[in-house]
Amino acid sequence: MGSIKLESLKKAFGSQIVIPDANLEIGDGEFVVFVGPSGCGKSTLLRLIAGLEEPSGGRIVIDGQDVTNTSPAQRKLSMVFQSYALYPHMTVYQNIAFPLKMAGEKAEIIRTRVQEVATSLDLLPYLERRPRALSGGQRQRVAIGRAIIRQPTGFLFDEPLSNLDAALRVSMRMEISDLHKRLGSTMIYVTHDQVEAMTMADRIAVMNAGRIEQFATPLELYRRPANLFVAGFIGSPKMNFIEGQKADLYGAHTIGIRPEAVEWSTTSGKWQGRIDRTEHLGAETVAYLTLDKGETLTLRTSLNEELVAGRTIHVSPQENSIYRFDANKAAIGFGSGQNV
Amino acid sequence: MKHRRDVMVKAATTGLGWLVALLLFFPILWTVLTSFKTEVEAIAFPPAFWPEGWTLENYFQVQERSEYFSHFLNSVIISLGSTILGMIVAIPAAWSMAFQPGRGTRHVLMWMLSTKMMPAVGALVPIFLIFKSVGLLDNLVGITLILLIGNLPIMVWMLYTYFREIPSDILEAARMDGATTLKELVYVLLPMSLPGVASTMLLNIILAWNESFWTLSLTAVKAAPLTAFIASYSSPQGLFWAKLSAASTLAILPILVVGWISQKQLVRGLTFGAVK
């Protein structure tokens, strides 16, 4: 079991309120990602769940038990830190064995368990090494080994891949996903990388300025963002936002169009725009345009070398892919709204 | 051109280094040499650098007149005792200041340091009277406590500086792994800051060993350490330079050896955190 529930959780550092009011229900075995720009409070929220920070108000319930005021160890959660936080003076073996040693397990049991964990993470040849003699990926695996050895009810990952290079990040991402499938435990994963979030999560909590803006599956976030922030944060290149007359025609304060939902033509279209810059990425081309009223628009299409900077083209949004937002930045509808 | 200038600068700084080292070491060398001279030779003018006769007579007389080993033992008890007891107090204090700082932590640290700037003699009369009324005069427990209190600010400061270098992530990891505060200290913090703990202890042993104001003021016979043993050779009947030197050599020898062996550790300890 490993369900986690946050009820009106608050956190303030002095007079600065970091988390005003967080409510969240995470089911047993779910892989949840907290994503948001840096400083949005996602790490603080994770540390509150871990018990490393004391909440200023509200409750944390794990498996039906109120753990708001219990110590980190009593919550039976394991954490993998961004810096790995391995014990530098201990060998890999001692690092992995540490949680069991703290729990007072017998030496015999510790030895068997460490062997099992080290085998599953391909760490057997390194057991006698110190962390500083390991590569980044190996250190990360030791940190994971230390987290899984005491079979916790849930795992907390605090930006665990941000210190790794791009190639290693992709393979570690898959390893963590596999680990989740194998163990079936609840996992909470903090990242600012939306690709990590989209590929790994069952559900994503998008955070901004301490608030959870939306908590939904990756595709739901992509298809039905609750507000302007989520719409702009999920998806790359980012969604186009257009205000003013063009939005008024759709009965909205702002309309949002994904770059991949913009069609273009050399002869006719709804709007006209000049290409400022293009990026030919191999399989696709991304063009950055300025429209007649000075609005900017990003267009994403299959590779096309006709799209060159300086050229004027016609563009039209796919009518059924227009997102509409009101003046309070909340989503008010999807699709073309009134017909124009 | 540049190369020649580099060599000259290096030669000059090396020369200067040796000069300073010689200046600092000269009194010790002179004391050791004098201890092998006769009393007449010791006060001769102009002084002779090398002893003429190389006699061990002073050492025998010093041992005959006073119990070197009982003073030596007192010094060991006082310096080790005050250091170990001090660490028991200073480690938790430094831990809480480094990892759980409150609003007043900085002020407490500054206040502690400021006590070291007060002349010790200012506290002598009250402490003497208190010690007299509770029966701690010329008592090993009493003098150990005084040295402990005197050196505590330095211990806390040094440990605090070391602990601050330890990433808090690692301590949090230990807490997540189920370590209590005590286990966190024993298994993670202290092993990681072992060089710091060792140099703090070494420095305090040396400071306590050499401390002469309180040891001379508050001990007489029973609890008198080596500092009192040296001082007893400067008597109203006159100074016996050769014997005084022999006594001094005997007193500083143990700590000199300890300091020599651990000099690397000490230098690292005192400059730690200065360059990172």
Side-chain angles (χ1 to χ4, degrees), chain B residues 146-168:
Chain B
I146 279 292
L147 293 188
L148 183 166
I149 293 165
N151 288 339
L152 202 54
I154 295 172
M155 290 190 176
V156 174
W157 261 96
M158 276 184 80
L159 289 173
Y160 169 77
T161 321
Y162 273 105
F163 288 173
R164 289 259 314 236
E165 303 279 328
I166 309 270
S168 57

Side-chain angles (χ1 to χ4, degrees), chain A residues 47 73 83 87 89 146 150, chain B residues 169 172 174 176-177 187 191-192:
Chain A
R47 292 167 57 82
S83 62
Y87 309 120
H89 57 294
R146 191 176 62 181
R150 61 183 184 135
Chain B
D169 269 9
E172 285 175 349
M176 291 298 297
D177 286 344
Y187 289 107
M192 279 184 71

Side-chain angles (χ1 to χ4, degrees), chain B residues 47-69:
Chain B
F49 187 73
W50 294 108
E52 215 166 274
W54 288 98
T55 171
L56 282 173
E57 186 57 26
N58 298 313
Y59 288 91
F60 291 128
Q61 282 195 16
V62 162
Q63 181 51 26
E64 220 167 88
R65 212 195 93 178
S66 48
E67 273 300 320
Y68 171 76
F69 283 105

Side-chain angles (χ1 to χ4, degrees), chain A residues 47 50 72-73 77 81 83 85-90 98-99 101-102 146 150, chain B residues 169-180 183-184 187-189 191-192:
Chain A
R47 292 167 57 82
L77 300 172
F81 292 81
S83 62
L86 299 178
Y87 309 120
H89 57 294
M90 297 184 195
F98 191 75
K101 192 175 165 187
M102 289 301 104
R146 191 176 62 181
R150 61 183 184 135
Chain B
D169 269 9
I170 293 180
L171 298 182
E172 285 175 349
R175 233 169 290 159
M176 291 298 297
D177 286 344
T180 57
K183 283 181 175 170
E184 183 186 313
Y187 289 107
V188 181
L189 185 61
M192 279 184 71

